[in-house]
Amino acid sequence: MSFFLAVDSITGHRSGRSTRAHDRHSHIVMRALEARNEVAMQSMGGGSAAPAPRRPRTQRAARKPAKSGDDDGGSEPARRHAPIFYELRDVADVLTLSQSGIQAMVRAGGFPKPRALGPRRVGWLVSEVTEWAISRPIADRLPPVNAGMRGAAA
C-alpha cells in the first residue's frame, strides 16, 4: 500500500489521503455521476445503457441436467426425470398461493398433508397437488382487473 499524498488533478491541491483512498473516493464519485446521468437519460425518454437487472436471489437457478451413464459420444441429451415431490415453495409457485396460506390450509384440513421424506424434510406428491387443484370449484366471477399486477406499479 502506498502512503504518498494524492494530488487532485483538477485543483492541484494535496488531499492528505493515501493514493488508495483517493482512488476509492474517485471511484465512488464516478459511480454517483453515472447514476445521475442514467436518471437524467431516463427522464428525457432516452434508452438505458445499463445491463439488464439481475435475477432476484430468491429464485433458484435451474439445475444442470444429470449426465447419462454411457459416454459413447452420442448427441442425445441427458434425460431429466419429472419431479415426484414438491417443496413448500414449489407448491406455492405452482398454485400461485402464499406459503403461509398453504400451511394454514393444511392445518385446517383443506389441503393434502405433506409426506415425510426424511427426518427433517417433507414434500407434497405432485399427483396429490394436481388432484387438489383439479377438485377446486369453478369460480362464478372473474378476477378483478388489477389482479396479478403487484410488480407492474413500480
Side-chain angles (χ1 to χ4, degrees):
M1 180 163 110
S2 173
F3 288 98
F4 294 108
L5 295 177
V7 176
D8 192 345
S9 61
I10 297 173
T11 63
H13 298 335
R14 286 186 186 184
S15 66
R17 296 186 186 132
S18 67
T19 54
R20 176 176 276 182
H22 184 267
D23 290 344
R24 185 173 46 229
H25 177 72
S26 62
H27 179 69
I28 291 170
V29 170
M30 288 301 296
R31 288 183 62 187
L33 289 173
E34 288 173 357
R36 185 184 70 182
N37 290 342
E38 183 69 27
V39 169
M41 287 294 292
Q42 289 177 354
S43 67
M44 293 182 349
S48 172
R54 291 184 179 176
R55 184 179 65 220
R57 286 185 175 214
T58 56
Q59 293 179 354
R60 294 181 296 160
R63 294 181 182 162
K64 293 181 180 177
K67 293 183 179 180
S68 60
D70 48 3
D71 293 325
D72 59 356
S75 61
E76 184 177 328
R79 293 183 186 178
R80 289 212 46 191
H81 297 286
I84 298 172
F85 287 96
Y86 282 144
E87 295 177 353
L88 177 59
R89 65 179 146 203
D90 297 330
V91 174
D93 287 341
V94 167
L95 297 176
T96 63
L97 297 171
S98 69
Q99 293 181 16
S100 59
I102 291 170
Q103 291 171 333
M105 286 192 296
V106 169
R107 283 191 296 272
F111 193 77
K113 291 185 177 183
R115 309 239 178 175
L117 301 177
R120 294 174 46 131
R121 189 166 179 89
V122 296
W124 282 263
L125 277 172
V126 172
S127 59
E128 288 180 354
V129 173
T130 304
E131 289 172 12
W132 178 86
I134 291 172
S135 71
R136 302 299 300 157
I138 296 174
D140 293 332
R141 57 184 175 170
L142 295 175
V145 178
N146 62 351
M149 301 296 287
R150 269 185 260 169

